[in-house]
Amino acid sequence: MSRAEGKASAGSEAPSGGEALAVGPADGTYAGAGVPSTTSTPGKPGAPKTPSPLWTFGLLRSELGVTFRRWRTLALLAVLAAVPVMVGVAVEIETSDGSSIDGGGGGGGGGPVFIAQITSNGLFLVFTALAATLPFFLPMAVGVIAGDAIAGEANAGTLRYLLVSPAGRVRLLLVKYATTMVFCLVATLVVAASALAVGALLFPLGEVTTISGTRIGLAEGLGRAVLIALMVAASLLGLAALGLFVSTLTNSGIAAMATTVGLLITVQILDQIPQLSALQPYFFSHYWLSFADLMRDPVHWDDLLRNLELQALYAAVFGSAAWARFTTRDITA
Amino acid sequence: MEELPAADPAPAPVPVSISAPAPTPGSVPVPVPEPEPVPAPVTVPVAPDSGESVIATSALTKRYRGGQLAVDRLDLAVPAGSVFGFLGPNGSGKTTTIRMLMGLIEPTSGTARVLGRPMPGASRAVLPHVGALIEGPALYGFLSGRDNLMRYDAADPTADPRTRRTRVAAALDRVGLTPAAGKKAKAYSLGMKQRLGLAAALLQPRRLLVLDEPTNGLDPQGMREIRALIREVASEGTTVFLSSHLLDEIEQVCTHAAVMAQGRLIAQGAVAELAAGARGRLVVTTPDVGDAARVLKEQGITDVVVEENRVTGEPPGRELADITAALVAAGVRVRGFGLERASLEDAFVALTGEGFDVAG
């Protein structure tokens, strides 16, 4: 994606506004980041600089590069990739003597949902691994990335140099959120891909039995797996916005990460307390496991849509709060 | 390394006619470059805003949330093309002022204009023309020096990505970091980090360079190189705004200066004028300090201070030779006699009535 931007900007010498707009939306999610800077320096006296609107994506590309080249990010992804391996190997060892983990329907037993079906179909390891990592591993990794986004830069002092470059506060915030979103997606896909590889290696692949009991082909099963991965990634967007907001509050990256992960754990615990049932539908994690509904036939959309609405609400509320805080804050670090 | 001044245009020092025939080819006295060759104050005509102030603040005030008044009604005017020294002890409000000028901190009241545009409102238009080093360098330790610069350049939406690589290489070369460009920044020494910070400020041609304590942490050789670089940048027409707590640094490099103390502006103007504001001292070096002091007082000299082997006083408004004559007539053994030039430090002490915290 970023390479395409580079080519586009290099190819068109001075793209007109129309061209730029035509190219922008192709980038989907991040098109918004380009909007502010198109008005950056018109009519500056003595300024021969007529920046291409596409140059603004340079920061996003740089941010993605910096994030995914960091040892810390790679370590988080490695941990996430290891979870399906452990689950797969554990199930393989457990069942190697011929016994089975409860041969009943989906979602039963003590383990994560779908774990019983893994031995008969390796594709179910994808669903199991996502169900196992979604409550804690995935959101923790997102909390680390989101919490560190602004606070980590402030802590290192690099924030002031980015801002006098000038990155622009709104642009920087959008780039940080976009990068966190990309991380949500990459992290989820890493879990899914690792699970698929381990599942295919240790168990047979074949027709998939849905929760509703119908059977669907392997191709459609894979399609459902991709949908589920996207759903899981989307489930993390609310937490990402929350983490970004926390990150604008402090100059300590560690404090922001700890606060975000602490909030995650707190909400997860509160979600288990029956007396708080009136509040629970507003917890960002409440509908997380609704992704299992994608394995019904036909798909049961109610909770899935409620989950997406809730994530959008969190993103809007905490995104605005982060914007309000970050654009007015004195940068003293 | 050693830059030899061209032989001919240098005004021949007086003793040359005497010593000229003597030296053998091997022992030619290499004209050592002056420790700090002070060029005539460069006033380069800057096309877009000549005559206008590059930085102009009016009643600029910052009160932090704790109630502490960091900057108090500051009226600063930095002429275009100047090398402007911003002087004051640690904690006098210099950095807060710079942060307000760079749009990082919102003023409590008052206005700040940079390159003729209001800050922080016009940050996006102004800052691409400004290179800054604020409170020391800050780098991504896990990135190489080159990648650090690539990152800062990518943050500027007006920076052309097609020329990024060459501009980064040029900036690294300019601060002498090319050999270390591929090393991780966390392995850099403080001096190298400082240079990399300067390189970031020089990624593009700038109209204003804001340098907060640029020689902090550098060895004397590094300091000289940075000062030479500052002069070079200034000679290209860039206005340089240089904060420092080192008086001699300001005196060596700057054409103009402002003095801050406790958040307030105490003085500003051309360095020569500021220094001239404080008068020099008459200094008599003698073993007979008692007699010398008596004679000086008899000659109507005020503020006579007796030190060890030295007597100083306010210089009189008349012929100094009369005083030497009087000293000799009184049998005072004089080792040295003369006027000590007023330094900026004297000016500062005269202005603030306090010493200067020369740390580091």
Side-chain angles (χ1 to χ4, degrees):
Chain A
M1 178 186 301
S2 55
R3 208 162 291 161
E5 286 157 21
K7 270 182 199 147
S9 86
S12 51
E13 276 293 296
S16 72
E19 271 179 54
L21 282 177
V23 179
D27 213 64
T29 346
Y30 321 118
V35 176
S37 85
T38 51
T39 58
S40 69
T41 56
K44 182 80 193 80
K49 293 169 183 171
T50 45
S52 153
L54 285 173
W55 292 357
T56 198
F57 290 110
L59 183 57
L60 177 61
R61 194 167 9 160
S62 161
E63 182 67 33
L64 288 172
V66 165
T67 304
F68 285 98
R69 268 195 301 173
R70 269 190 102 156
W71 185 86
R72 190 186 66 194
T73 312
L74 298 179
L76 285 173
L77 293 177
V79 168
L80 288 171
V83 171
V85 178
M86 288 188 291
V87 173
V89 169
V91 170
E92 170 73 5
I93 292 171
E94 185 86 349
T95 57
S96 59
D97 55 357
S99 73
S100 69
I101 308 175
D102 173 31
V113 271
F114 306 122
I115 199 163
Q117 285 103 315
I118 292 177
T119 45
S120 56
N121 192 339
L123 190 56
F124 276 95
L125 186 56
V126 175
F127 312 135
T128 310
L130 287 173
T133 49
L134 184 51
F136 189 69
F137 284 100
L138 272 174
M140 187 204 66
V142 170
V144 167
I145 298 293
D148 200 42
I150 300 286
E153 300 270 7
N155 197 27
T158 46
L159 181 60
R160 61 173 183 268
Y161 287 109
L162 288 179
L163 291 182
V164 301
S165 280
R169 298 194 184 197
V170 177
R171 178 166 164 254
L172 186 61
L173 202 61
L174 286 171
V175 161
K176 288 288 185 184
Y177 192 52
T179 304
T180 313
M181 283 162 75
V182 170
F183 179 81
C184 290
L185 187 63
V186 169
T188 312
L189 290 179
V190 161
V191 173
S194 163
L196 188 62
V198 173
L201 216 64
L202 296 180
F203 310 104
L205 289 179
E207 280 200 328
V208 179
T209 311
T210 62
I211 297 178
S212 315
T214 59
R215 294 179 76 80
I216 54 176
L218 179 61
E220 200 192 336
L222 279 171
R224 297 274 177 108
V226 170
L227 265 181
I228 284 179
L230 291 177
M231 196 65 209
V232 168
S235 298
L236 298 167
L237 297 184
L239 177 70
L242 178 64
L244 195 63
F245 169 61
V246 171
S247 193
T248 61
L249 297 178
T250 169
N251 285 339
S252 159
I254 304 280
M257 286 188 256
T259 306
T260 309
V261 174
L263 278 171
L264 165 73
I265 296 172
T266 311
V267 166
Q268 297 271 47
I269 292 171
L270 292 182
D271 206 18
Q272 304 301 320
I273 299 176
Q275 283 80 0
L276 295 173
S277 58
L279 286 176
Q280 281 166 357
Y282 300 100
F283 291 160
F284 56 80
S285 64
H286 190 65
Y287 296 106
W288 272 359
L289 293 179
S290 68
F291 76 82
D293 289 347
L294 278 168
M295 282 305 289
R296 294 182 197 279
D297 201 21
V299 173
H300 199 281
W301 287 103
D302 290 5
D303 281 358
L304 291 168
L305 291 178
R306 222 165 286 152
N307 185 21
L308 288 179
E309 278 170 22
L310 192 62
Q311 301 306 325
L313 182 70
Y314 266 82
V317 169
F318 287 103
S320 310
W323 170 81
R325 164 74 181 158
F326 190 54
T327 50
T328 56
R329 166 185 166 191
D330 281 350
I331 307 295
T332 52
Chain B
M1 203 70 202
E2 194 101 316
E3 48 174 87
L4 296 176
D8 34 332
V14 185
V16 153
S17 53
I18 307 162
S19 64
T24 59
S27 69
V28 172
V30 175
V32 178
E34 286 283 306
E36 289 286 347
V38 183
V42 210
T43 35
V44 181
V46 180
D49 44 15
S50 53
E52 198 187 306
S53 289
V54 170
I55 296 174
T57 72
S58 131
L60 190 66
T61 302
K62 180 64 188 183
R63 185 185 288 279
Y64 281 117
R65 248 186 294 169
Q68 179 207 353
L69 196 59
V71 175
D72 188 6
R73 279 171 285 124
L74 183 68
D75 296 306
L76 206 59
V78 176
S82 64
V83 179
F84 194 95
F86 195 40
L87 191 60
N90 300 326
S92 56
K94 299 188 304 266
T95 297
T96 301
T97 306
I98 287 176
R99 281 178 182 269
M100 283 193 279
L101 293 175
M102 296 293 99
L104 293 173
I105 290 183
E106 191 98 20
T108 308
S109 62
T111 59
R113 297 178 78 82
V114 177
L115 301 176
R117 307 279 293 268
M119 291 297 285
S123 295
R124 269 172 176 280
V126 169
L127 291 178
H129 303 276
V130 180
L133 187 66
I134 306 163
E135 263 192 302
L139 306 167
Y140 298 88
F142 54 93
L143 294 181
S144 69
R146 185 184 294 110
D147 286 346
N148 266 286
L149 294 187
M150 301 283 277
R151 167 123 173 109
Y152 285 134
D153 197 60
D156 180 355
T158 68
D160 189 342
R162 286 163 291 179
T163 59
R164 184 162 294 150
R165 213 154 259 288
T166 42
R167 282 183 294 112
V168 164
L172 282 167
D173 189 49
R174 201 162 184 188
V175 298
L177 269 185
T178 307
K183 268 214 285 189
K184 293 255 187 286
K186 65 179 165 223
Y188 278 20
S189 68
L190 181 56
M192 289 161 84
K193 287 180 181 165
Q194 195 82 5
R195 285 154 192 256
L196 196 63
L198 267 171
L202 295 171
L203 279 169
Q204 296 212 57
R206 309 286 193 184
R207 287 166 64 197
L208 171 65
L209 207 55
V210 174
L211 304 174
D212 191 6
E213 310 268 3
T215 56
N216 251 10
L218 296 184
D219 55 20
Q221 175 66 20
M223 286 187 176
R224 281 186 49 180
E225 286 172 18
I226 296 302
R227 286 172 195 159
L229 188 64
I230 290 170
R231 291 200 192 92
E232 188 189 313
V233 172
S235 70
E236 290 161 7
T238 302
T239 307
V240 180
F241 186 80
L242 173 75
S243 104
S244 181
H245 64 271
L246 301 175
L247 284 150
D248 59 335
E249 181 165 289
I250 300 278
E251 209 162 18
Q252 285 169 19
V253 185
C254 297
T255 58
H256 294 69
V259 181
M260 291 273 286
Q262 289 160 358
R264 261 184 302 247
L265 186 69
I266 291 177
Q268 68 176 325
V271 167
E273 288 168 23
L274 282 176
R279 308 178 60 199
R281 298 282 290 178
L282 177 70
V283 179
V284 180
T285 317
T286 170
D288 312 323
V289 285
D291 291 339
R294 182 177 46 78
V295 174
L296 288 180
K297 279 179 188 151
E298 282 169 11
Q299 293 292 318
I301 288 169
T302 56
D303 191 22
V304 174
V305 178
V306 177
E307 299 159 26
E308 197 185 342
N309 287 330
R310 231 166 85 106
V311 182
T312 67
E314 284 282 304
R318 57 200 174 86
E319 179 59 52
L320 289 176
D322 295 346
I323 296 164
T324 7
L327 283 167
V328 172
V332 177
R333 295 170 294 164
V334 176
R335 286 192 192 131
F337 182 91
L339 273 180
E340 218 166 59
R341 193 174 63 89
S343 69
L344 206 54
E345 180 161 6
D346 299 322
F348 184 84
V349 172
L351 283 166
T352 62
E354 61 183 271
F356 207 86
D357 168 33
V358 187

